[in-house]
Amino acid sequence: MPSSSEKNAAPPLPEPLRVPVADSHTHLDMQSGTVEEGLAKAASVGVTTVVQVGCDVRGSQWAAETAAAHESVHATVALHPNEAPRIVHGDPDGWSRQGARQPGGAGALDEALAEIDRLAALPQVKGVGETGLDYFRTGPEGKEAQEGSFRAHIEIAKRHGKALVIHDRDAHADVLRVLKEEGAPERTVFHCYSGDAEMAEICARAGYFMSFAGNVTFKNAQNLRDAVAVAPLELLLVETDAPFLTPAPYRGRPNAPYLIPVTVRALAAVRGIDEDALASALAANTARAFGY
Ligand SMILES: [Zn+2]
Ligand SMILES: [Zn+2]
C-alpha cells in the first residue's frame, strides 16, 4: 500500500516521447510550481507546447500574458460555461478561485464578454474557449445565461478567425444543436471529448477536432476508447486538462502537462498504431487546430 503522502505526490516522469507533441488544453494557473518549472518538466519528456486555457476574465488575461512571455505557450480566452451564470446570478458555492460573488446581472456578463473579445484579438491568443454547455454543474436556472454566453463566444471566435474550444459536459445534443444554429467556426475543438463512437462520427463529418484527456485510460471509459477507435486520425488531439483527470495508474494524484506521454501511449494502444506515428499526427493536428 502506498502511504498517503505518496498518493498525493506528483506522479513520476514518464519515459520521454521521441516525437514531441502539444498538450492541447491545460490550466497552468491551477497547478503547483512555477510556469517555468512546469514547462521545463513537460519539455523534458517531449511535451514542448501547451495551450493555456482561460476560464474567467482574470484567468484569460493571465493566459494571454503567459503566452506573450513564453514561446511554447499559446492562449485561449473565455468565460467557462459555469462562469457565465455565476456572473449573472452570483453563486454562493462558487468553485472558481474567485469564490463567492455578488450577482451582476446581464450587464456584468456583457462587460466580461467585451473583455474576452478584446483579448481574442491578441496574436498569442489562438482560441476562444473553454465555452459550451455544462449541465452537470449548472442547473436549469443557469441554462439561459450559459447558452447565451456560448453563442457569444462562437461569434467572437468567428469574427477573430480563432479556434473554438468546447467544454461539453452532459450536454452533447444541445452543444451540437447550438453549433449548427450559429454555424461553427472553421476550427472547432471538443476538449476532454466525452461522447461515444456515434457522436465521434457526427463530429468527424463536421470536421470537429476531438481532444482526449487522461480519463480515456479509466477502466469505465470504454465509450471513450470506442470513440478514439473511430475518430479520423487527422482530427485527434491529446490534452491533460491538468490539474484534473490524471491518467491511470495515477488517478487522483495531481496532473500536469508532463504526463501527456501516458495518455499518448494509451491512445496509440487503442488505435493499434506506432507511438511515434501517432505523436507526429497529434503534433500536426494541434498546430492546425490552433493555427500556430
Ligand atoms: Zn472543460
Ligand atoms: Zn479545462
Side-chain angles (χ1 to χ4, degrees):
M1 283 288 283
S3 71
S4 69
S5 65
E6 272 168 5
K7 273 196 325 211
N8 298 322
L13 275 176
E15 182 154 333
L17 295 168
R18 286 176 297 268
V19 176
V21 300
D23 180 349
S24 86
H25 187 115
T26 197
H27 301 283
L28 295 169
D29 50 336
M30 304 180 195
Q31 295 162 32
S32 65
T34 67
V35 168
E36 289 73 17
E37 286 163 358
L39 295 175
K41 206 169 169 185
S44 77
V45 292
V47 183
T48 50
T49 306
V50 307
V51 179
Q52 167 64 27
V53 175
C55 292
D56 56 23
V57 166
R58 210 175 58 178
S60 296
Q61 290 164 339
W62 189 87
E65 286 160 20
T66 305
H70 299 276
E71 199 65 38
S72 57
V73 180
H74 303 291
T76 74
V77 296
L79 311 174
H80 191 281
N82 295 321
E83 175 70 4
R86 249 196 315 274
I87 292 173
V88 178
H89 304 292
D91 174 13
D93 315 313
W95 57 271
S96 85
R97 56 201 180 289
Q98 291 177 340
R101 179 188 283 122
Q102 295 300 313
L109 181 58
D110 288 344
E111 218 173 280
L113 285 167
E115 176 63 3
I116 297 301
D117 188 12
R118 186 190 73 79
L119 293 167
L122 298 172
Q124 76 273 27
V125 173
K126 303 298 185 192
V128 174
E130 52 186 294
T131 180
L133 302 174
D134 186 324
Y135 294 166
F136 181 76
R137 282 193 192 276
T138 295
E141 73 291 343
K143 251 183 169 176
E144 196 186 319
Q146 190 171 81
E147 186 169 319
S149 174
F150 182 24
R151 289 180 192 273
H153 283 84
I154 296 172
E155 188 275 326
I156 292 170
K158 287 200 287 192
R159 186 155 36 78
H160 293 287
K162 303 286 166 101
L164 182 73
V165 177
I166 303 277
H167 169 104
D168 159 25
R169 189 153 185 199
D170 297 349
H172 305 322
D174 282 353
V175 166
L176 291 169
R177 171 181 58 80
V178 171
L179 280 174
K180 205 168 181 183
E181 285 170 6
E182 292 291 323
E186 224 168 279
R187 292 167 288 125
T188 296
V189 176
F190 274 73
H191 119 76
C192 189
Y193 179 86
S194 59
D196 57 10
E198 197 185 327
M199 178 165 159
E201 277 161 8
I202 295 170
C203 290
R205 279 196 294 277
Y208 301 152
F209 292 93
M210 288 163 263
S211 182
F212 288 87
N215 55 343
V216 75
T217 65
F218 296 174
K219 216 174 244 170
N220 62 356
Q222 191 54 46
N223 63 320
L224 295 183
R225 289 186 286 275
D226 294 344
V228 170
V230 302
L233 183 61
E234 66 272 16
L235 294 178
L236 276 185
L237 306 183
V238 68
E239 67 173 71
T240 56
D241 200 18
F244 314 108
L245 297 174
T246 314
Y250 308 117
R251 199 173 171 177
R253 290 165 67 172
N255 199 8
Y258 77 89
L259 289 170
I260 277 282
V262 179
T263 305
V264 169
R265 287 176 185 129
L267 294 174
V270 171
R271 303 249 343 170
I273 63 170
D274 171 67
E275 177 186 314
D276 294 355
L278 177 63
S280 312
L282 292 169
N285 296 346
T286 316
R288 214 168 67 250
F290 290 95
Y292 62 79

